[in-house]
Amino acid sequence: MSVLLDLGIRLLVLAADRAPDKLTIRETAEICAASHAHLAKAANRLVKGGFLCSLRGRRGGLKLALPPEAIDLGAVVQSLLGSQPACHVRDEVLVGWRRVQEEAASAYIRHLAERTLSDIL
């Protein structure tokens, strides 16, 4: 699992647990023993994806933008991982392997799209 994906899921779970209160990157970094920079990057992607809302200022923080049952885990994963660039494999033997990997990744996202954040809380 990628670091951003792991931290993004942790942010969503903690934000749901803290609702209706806000969650900060600083306290999440302490709880998860994680890098502030990595958490900020994951939070930024989740805010851009519409899963978290960011409240700026002295009393700012992060909150869920949607109820947990409306947060599609497949969309969360795609938001956190972004679009993975296609690997242009020159070796004909590995072209088939890349196709199998892409099919597996698609099946993974389809499976997660059937689940919501409330399923893992």
Side-chain angles (χ1 to χ4, degrees):
M1 180 183 303
S2 91
V3 172
L4 283 182
L5 179 56
D6 180 69
L7 293 175
I9 296 295
R10 289 173 187 266
L11 275 167
L12 289 173
V13 168
L14 288 170
D17 186 53
R18 292 280 174 93
D21 297 330
K22 295 174 289 249
L23 179 69
T24 66
I25 298 290
R26 176 171 288 149
E27 67 185 328
T28 304
E30 291 172 10
I31 292 168
C32 299
S35 158
H36 186 281
H38 283 115
L39 277 164
K41 188 172 184 178
N44 185 33
R45 289 188 182 186
L46 291 170
V47 168
K48 284 183 179 179
F51 307 108
L52 288 177
C53 53
S54 175
L55 307 164
R56 297 196 175 268
R58 186 170 180 219
R59 297 182 187 258
L62 300 165
K63 289 178 129 181
L64 287 182
L66 303 166
E69 57 276 1
I71 297 178
D72 170 343
L73 292 178
V76 167
V77 169
Q78 287 179 319
S79 180
L80 288 166
L81 297 181
S83 58
Q84 300 290 333
C87 179
H88 299 289
V89 180
R90 296 184 204 287
D91 187 340
E92 290 181 22
V93 174
L94 296 180
V95 169
W97 173 242
R98 175 47 93 190
R99 183 175 24 83
V100 169
Q101 284 182 314
E102 289 170 354
E103 289 169 358
S106 293
Y108 172 65
I109 295 297
R110 279 194 310 274
H111 175 74
L112 289 175
E114 297 172 2
R115 305 295 188 275
T116 66
L117 179 59
S118 65
D119 292 327
I120 62 173
L121 295 178

